[in-house]
Amino acid sequence: VYFFDYLRFIQILPAILPITGLIFTYIIFAERTLDIVPFARSQIINEMPDPCLMWNSYDLLVDYNHAAASAMEISSNSIGRPMSLVLEKYPQIKTETEFSTSTGKYFEVVWKRLIHNNKEQGKFLILRDITDQKRVEKELRQLDQVKTTFMGILSHDLMGNINNISFLSEIILKNHKENLPEELKVQLESIHHSSVDVNNFISELLRWARTQFHGIQLLSLIHI
């Protein structure tokens, strides 16, 4: 008799199980979808290579990763402390998009709001290491300065001297051509033509440089 009673319960299992599954699915997706247990949250944050810190809705620090500990000298004693105290050594984080540390590292500041059920549950801070990017930018600025100086030398110092040679040789040939020995006259004409060719070459080089080096201000006018 008892055996047949158990069989009656087994017969209603196909109807109970789908209903139970629907109930649990609703609970999970309606109430707990965005909640992350502290252990899993810590694992996710520690996997991030950049310094990361998390505050709750009361602006109290609840988590950080190893990168933040080494970059910002944060320890377990900082957990539960207000944001103002945690960031008191770096006040520029709240107002600037970039900042540097005493060790010479540069970071980009990224703030993210933690939203759950249309309510702000806290803040998430990511400090992206842009030290290499800043180094490259500095090298590019130095390279631009070298290019600008080089173009200034070409356009001012070198072309000025070449123009003087061309001008003086032309004056001598015009005013004293008939009184000059033939050999000296040939040499002066060669000097004049060579100086004109060099001047034209430098002018073309500066025109090319102006089209290639956008943003570089040439330090002198191009003489044609």
Side-chain angles (χ1 to χ4, degrees), residues 13-145:
L13 282 178
I16 294 176
L17 289 177
I19 296 174
T20 305
L22 289 174
I23 292 173
F24 276 106
T25 302
Y26 172 79
I27 293 173
I28 292 172
F29 284 94
E31 302 296 335
R32 310 294 297 178
T33 303
L34 298 179
D35 290 348
I36 302 177
V37 295
F39 175 77
R41 181 185 66 208
S42 297
Q43 292 300 312
I44 293 172
I45 293 178
N46 282 323
E47 288 298 322
M48 302 181 70
D50 297 318
C52 302
L53 301 95
M54 182 183 294
W55 288 269
N56 60 18
S57 57
Y58 301 102
D59 283 342
L60 301 178
L61 185 67
V62 294
D63 215 341
Y64 64 94
N65 64 356
H66 299 303
S70 59
M72 304 178 66
E73 300 177 358
I74 295 176
S75 65
S76 58
N77 295 331
S78 301
I79 297 295
R81 300 184 68 188
M83 180 189 301
S84 58
L85 295 180
V86 175
L87 301 179
E88 61 181 350
K89 293 184 179 180
Y90 309 98
Q92 64 271 39
I93 289 181
K94 294 183 179 180
T95 57
E96 305 293 334
T97 57
E98 297 177 1
F99 80 102
S100 60
T101 65
S102 57
T103 59
K105 283 187 170 293
Y106 285 85
F107 292 97
E108 179 185 10
V109 180
V110 180
W111 285 99
K112 297 291 184 182
R113 298 168 60 199
L114 302 176
I115 306 297
H116 179 40
N117 290 336
N118 297 323
K119 294 181 181 180
E120 183 173 326
Q121 301 297 322
K123 297 180 179 66
F124 194 69
L125 173 62
I126 304 174
L127 302 178
R128 293 175 180 165
D129 191 341
I130 56 172
T131 305
D132 291 339
Q133 176 184 331
K134 287 293 183 181
R135 177 181 55 79
V136 172
E137 289 177 357
K138 182 179 179 181
E139 292 176 353
L140 288 176
R141 285 194 299 269
Q142 293 174 345
L143 180 59
D144 284 346
Q145 184 61 41

Side-chain angles (χ1 to χ4, degrees), residues 4-22:
F4 288 105
D5 288 338
Y6 283 120
L7 285 179
R8 286 198 295 271
F9 283 111
I10 294 174
Q11 290 175 355
I12 64 174
L13 282 178
I16 294 176
L17 289 177
I19 296 174
T20 305
L22 289 174

